Amino acid sequence: MKKYVIGIVGLGMIGNSTAVLSTMHGMKTLCYVRNEAKIPGYKAAFDKMYDEMIAQGVITKEQAAICGTYLKYVTSYADMAECEVIFEAIAEDLEQKKACYSEIEKNCPNVKLIGSCSSSILPDALASAADKYADRIIVTHPFFPVHMVPYF
C-alpha cells in the first residue's frame, strides 16, 4: 500500500484525531498551525488520544512512540509542499475555506485530494471556493473519534 504524505489544516477535535489515524498507519503527517505557541496544546491532545488507546490495550506504548515520529507541525503552507492528501478541518465558514484552498493551491503542487471535514457546506460550494483544485475536493466529515474508525 502506498504511504501518502498527509496534510492537516485545523487541529480541533476532528483534525487532531485525523492526525492520530494517519500516523497510526505509518503516514508522514504534516499539521499546519497558524500560531506556533499553540503547538504544545495540540501535541498534548494528540498524545492523550494515544494514551487512551494504550490504556484500552489497542496499541502499546512502544508502538505509540513509533507512530508519534510520523507527526510534524508546520507554520507555513509552503512547508506542506510534499503533501498529496490534505484534510481541511477548519471553521464552517466558506470564506475561510476559500483562503485555505488558495494557500494549498499556491504552495502544494502534489495534492491529489482535499478532504473537507465540513458538516454543513455542500460539496459544490466547497468546490466553487477553489480554483485549480476544485475537482479534488470532497467532503470527508468522519465519525468521532476518527482514529478508532476501522481502516480498510
Side-chain angles (χ1 to χ4, degrees):
M1 176 174 81
K2 180 175 176 20
K3 301 276 183 165
Y4 292 95
V5 177
I6 306 296
I8 300 173
V9 180
L11 289 177
M13 187 170 51
I14 297 293
N16 227 334
S17 187
T18 302
V20 171
L21 176 68
S22 59
T23 57
M24 193 183 325
H25 289 287
M27 295 181 195
K28 181 176 182 179
T29 302
L30 305 176
C31 296
Y32 169 78
V33 297
R34 290 183 294 185
N35 182 345
E36 193 169 357
K38 291 188 174 189
I39 291 174
Y42 295 138
K43 180 71 167 88
F46 175 87
D47 290 341
K48 182 179 179 189
M49 291 180 199
Y50 270 108
D51 289 343
E52 290 168 354
M53 289 188 296
I54 292 166
Q56 294 170 13
V58 174
I59 192 169
T60 67
K61 189 173 185 173
E62 293 77 20
Q63 289 169 323
I66 293 167
C67 295
T69 66
Y70 298 116
L71 178 72
K72 181 178 179 186
Y73 295 98
V74 299
T75 57
S76 163
Y77 280 93
D79 293 336
M80 296 175 60
E82 65 184 302
C83 291
E84 299 165 279
V85 175
I86 297 179
F87 291 96
E88 167 269 301
I90 64 175
E92 289 293 278
D93 178 287
L94 195 55
E95 288 305 310
Q96 287 184 41
K97 290 180 186 296
K98 182 177 180 121
C100 173
Y101 300 156
S102 177
E103 289 298 321
I104 291 169
E105 289 174 336
K106 281 188 248 179
N107 293 287
C108 305
N110 300 313
V111 170
K112 293 168 180 43
L113 175 82
I114 299 171
S116 176
C117 295
S118 178
S119 61
S120 64
I121 301 173
L122 295 174
D124 287 347
L126 293 168
S128 73
D131 291 318
K132 71 180 184 177
Y133 291 164
D135 64 337
R136 300 173 196 187
I137 297 174
I138 63 170
V139 173
T140 56
H141 194 286
F143 292 101
F144 186 78
V146 179
H147 59 278
M148 296 300 286
V149 175
Y151 180 74
F152 300 97

